[in-house]
Every structure is written in structure tokens, then in C-alpha cells.
């Protein structure tokens, strides 16, 4: 186990290094700069700003400087957030995205597995068709349509939730439901398909023929193996959810990381682009590593070596 974990950590570090390198050079390859003439009419001021942030240095030197600062945990200073470091900007925005992401992940995982299991055990029954219709709608309707519809019904019409921000607990309901709609639909269908397939395996028939209770057959044998493809999806899904969504955060007025990332690209805020990209990459790599380790807990037949 320890050897496997060390290998995965080394692999994760290499992955992050390549992400940093590729993102850095692709970002610099985009024409223009944060202080281009249309934003900074005075060429002398533009040149001074370029020199202040080291953007007048050769590209290879900028890259080496960035790597050195990154190893010290310094993501630099934002060009557009006056007086704020990238570390501070992420620290201020991430708690909002994280809170919504945690709530949404819990709802998605537990509800998705529950709904999928019910559909598999009641295959082609009314309840199965009902959840399949809902999952189809959840996976096809765009998130901004769901968000707008939710606000119109529950905020404007019924007045049950605030229309803007998350200053109160009720403000989290909409973002959680909307950001979790697609993954919930996917996990429901994936659990159903996987559990239906597992129930047709020989070892399930053997367990039933031995007189084992249906509860143990389903929840101890069938569901445990059926969850392997679900767990594979859950890791990257959680990482994606907790990093926020520009569309959802904009519609609901949430100052999360997703909106910050989009704004940083529009404004060519290089340090903020790099900082958030690396932050996302670390979360995703950690999620994939955790999923690989959870495999062994679910199915001991999987060997890490």
C-alpha cells in the first residue's frame, strides 16, 4: 500500500508540473497583455507596469521565476484585484464554492445511489420510468435554464429563497440543486445500469440459491460490486463541483472560484489564471488518488501492486 501511494504521489507531482508548464506557455502565447494599449493609453505607463510585474523579461526567465515562487507557495499578486495576492483571492472565494460543492456532493452521491438502486430493483416499473424521465431532464436541460427557472418559481413566485447571494442557509438550496442536477442524473442511471448487470451474474444466483436473504444479496454482494464504476465517476465529479461553476455563481450572485477563474481569463490576469488552474489540478489529482484507494475498500480483489 505504501509503495503504491508513493508512486501515485510522484505521478501526481509530475502531472501538476506538466499542467503548470502547458498552462504557462499557452497563456503567454495569447496575443496581447494585461496592460495593452486599449487598457493603458499611455505607452510609458504600460511599459512601467510590464517592468513592475516582470513581463518584460524573457519568457524562459518568467517561467523559472514562477516555478521558484510556486515551490514557496507564492502564486503572486493579482493584476486586477488591487493589493491582493492570488493566495488571498482564492482563500476568499473558495469557501463559497467549497460549501456548495460539499452539500451538492452529499446530495448527489446518496440520492443518486438510492434512486439508481430503487430503479434497478423495480426495473421497468412505474417508479423506474419516473426516475429515468427525471434523470433525462436533469442531464439535458442547461444549468442556466434550471437556475433561472428555480429563481422564478421559488424566489420570485413563492418567495421561499433569496434571489441573490448566500447570506442565509436558504440561499444554498438553489445552487446545490442546480449544480448537482447533471451528476445526480448521471449517477442514478449509472447505478441502475451497473446494478442490473451485476444481478445477472452467476455468484448472485448462487447466493440466492443458498437461501441468503434478499437484503444481504443486494446490499452486501450486488451493490458493493455495482458501485465500482460509480466511485470512478464520483472522484472527478466532486473535484469539479467544489471548484465552482461560473454560470451558477453568476446567476445566484455567489463570489466563488468559478466566477473568479472566468474573470481572470477575460482580464488576462496571469497570476490568477495560473493560481486557480494549479489549484483545480491539485484538487482533481487528489480526488483521483482517493478514488483509487477506495477501490480496495470496496473490492479487496483489486491489488494495488
Amino acid at each position: 500500500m505504501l509503495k503504491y501511494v508513493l508512486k501515485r504521489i510522484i505521478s501526481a507531482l509530475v502531472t501538476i508540473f506538466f499542467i503548470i508548464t502547458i498552462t504557462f506557455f499557452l497563456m503567454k502565447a495569447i496575443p496581447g497583455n494585461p496592460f495593452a494599449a486599449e487598457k493603458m493609453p499611455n505607452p510609458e505607463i504600460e511599459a512601467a507596469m510590464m517592468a513592475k510585474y516582470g513581463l518584460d523579461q524573457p519568457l524562459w526567465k518568467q517561467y523559472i521565476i514562477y516555478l521558484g515562487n510556486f515551490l514557496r507557495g507564492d502564486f503572486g499578486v493579482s493584476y486586477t484585484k488591487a493589493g491582493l495576492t492570488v493566495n488571498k483571492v482564492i482563500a476568499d472565494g473558495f469557501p463559497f464554492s467549497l460549501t456548495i460543492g460539499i452539500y451538492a456532493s452529499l446530495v448527489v452521491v446518496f440520492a443518486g445511489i438510492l434512486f439508481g438502486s430503487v430503479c434497478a430493483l423495480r426495473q421497468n416499473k412505474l417508479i423506474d420510468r419516473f426516475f429515468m424521465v427525471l434523470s433525462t431532464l436533469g442531464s439535458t436541460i442547461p444549468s442556466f435554464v434550471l437556475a433561472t427557472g428555480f429563481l422564478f418559481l421559488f424566489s420570485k413566485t413563492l418567495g421561499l429563497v433569496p434571489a441573490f447571494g448566500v447570506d442565509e442557509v436558504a440561499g444554498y438550496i438553489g445552487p446545490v440543486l442546480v449544480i448537482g442536477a447533471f451528476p445526480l442524473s448521471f449517477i442514478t442511471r449509472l447505478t441502475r445500469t451497473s446494478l442490473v448487470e451485476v444481478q445477472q451474474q452467476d455468484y448472485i444466483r448462487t447466493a440466492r440459491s443458498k437461501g441468503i436473504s434478499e437484503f444481504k444479496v443486494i446490499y452486501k454482494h450486488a451493490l458493493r460490486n455495482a458501485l465500482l464504476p460509480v466511485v470512478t465517476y464520483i472522484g472527478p465529479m466532486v473535484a469539479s463541483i467544489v471548484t465552482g461553476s461560473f454560470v451558477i455563481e453568476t446567476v445566484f450572485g455567489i463570489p466563488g472560484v468559478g466566477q473568479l477563474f472566468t474573470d481572470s481569463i477575460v482580464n488576462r490576469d496571469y497570476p490568477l489564471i495560473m493560481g486557480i488552474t494549479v489549484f483545480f489540478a491539485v484538487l482533481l489529482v487528489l480526488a483521483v488518488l482517493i478514488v483509487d484507494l477506495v477501490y480496495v475498500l470496496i473490492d479487496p480483489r483489486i491489488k494495488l501492486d
Side-chain angles (χ1 to χ4, degrees):
M1 173 70 79
L2 180 59
K3 183 179 179 181
Y4 174 78
V5 173
L6 290 176
K7 285 183 177 180
R8 289 309 311 272
I9 291 176
I10 293 174
S11 175
L13 293 175
V14 173
T15 301
I16 293 172
F17 169 76
F18 279 110
I19 290 175
I20 292 174
T21 303
I22 294 172
T23 305
F24 182 88
F25 286 103
L26 285 179
M27 180 181 63
K28 295 293 186 178
I30 300 175
N33 63 74
F35 313 110
E38 62 271 15
K39 300 178 182 179
M40 193 74 64
N42 192 322
E44 295 181 357
I45 297 178
E46 179 183 346
M49 295 297 294
M50 294 285 287
K52 177 181 178 180
Y53 291 103
L55 298 179
D56 58 341
Q57 301 287 337
L59 192 57
W60 65 268
K61 190 172 183 179
Q62 294 182 45
Y63 175 68
I64 297 299
I65 293 174
Y66 182 84
L67 284 182
N69 293 334
F70 170 76
L71 293 176
R72 294 193 298 269
D74 181 9
F75 286 143
V77 179
S78 171
Y79 297 160
T80 57
K81 308 290 183 180
L84 294 179
T85 64
V86 174
N87 301 59
K88 174 64 175 175
V89 173
I90 295 177
D92 289 342
F94 183 60
F96 294 100
S97 300
L98 179 63
T99 302
I100 295 172
I102 290 176
Y103 290 154
S105 297
L106 292 175
V107 171
V108 167
V109 171
F110 288 105
I113 293 176
L114 175 61
F115 295 161
S117 300
V118 171
C119 291
L121 298 177
R122 297 292 184 268
Q123 188 178 6
N124 297 325
K125 303 295 184 180
L126 179 61
I127 191 170
D128 177 31
R129 297 181 186 278
F130 173 73
F131 280 120
M132 286 301 97
V133 170
L134 287 183
S135 65
T136 300
L137 292 175
S139 59
T140 54
I141 299 178
S143 59
F144 69 89
V145 175
L146 290 175
T148 304
F150 178 89
L151 288 176
F152 176 79
L153 178 61
F154 293 98
S155 180
K156 182 178 180 180
T157 305
L158 300 177
L160 298 177
V161 298
F164 188 86
V166 287
D167 296 330
E168 50 186 289
V169 177
Y172 284 98
I173 297 176
V176 167
L177 294 179
V178 173
I179 201 172
F182 177 80
L184 174 59
S185 302
F186 188 86
I187 287 183
T188 298
R189 301 179 74 91
L190 185 60
T191 302
R192 177 189 183 276
T193 302
S194 183
L195 186 55
V196 168
E197 181 179 350
V198 168
Q199 288 186 88
Q200 299 172 356
Q201 300 298 316
D202 291 338
Y203 71 90
I204 296 297
R205 299 192 187 98
T206 301
R208 283 175 172 150
S209 66
K210 290 182 177 181
I212 299 176
S213 66
E214 188 67 13
F215 179 84
K216 287 187 177 180
V217 171
I218 296 299
Y219 293 99
K220 185 177 180 181
H221 299 286
L223 185 59
R224 188 171 183 176
N225 291 317
L227 287 181
L228 283 176
V230 177
V231 171
T232 303
Y233 174 74
I234 286 176
M237 177 211 73
V238 172
S240 174
I241 289 179
V242 300
T243 51
S245 166
F246 166 70
V247 174
I248 294 173
E249 291 179 356
T250 300
V251 173
F252 288 97
I254 302 169
V257 180
Q259 187 171 357
L260 286 174
F261 188 48
T262 306
D263 292 342
S264 68
I265 296 174
V266 173
N267 296 316
R268 303 284 180 83
D269 193 337
Y270 295 155
L272 195 54
I273 294 174
M274 290 297 302
I276 297 179
T277 300
V278 174
F279 184 69
F280 284 4
V282 170
L283 288 178
L284 182 58
V285 169
L286 287 176
V288 173
L289 175 60
I290 292 173
V291 166
D292 290 343
L293 297 179
V294 170
Y295 276 163
V296 185
L297 300 178
I298 296 178
D299 191 348
R301 294 174 300 175
I302 298 177
K303 302 299 182 182
L304 295 182
D305 54 1

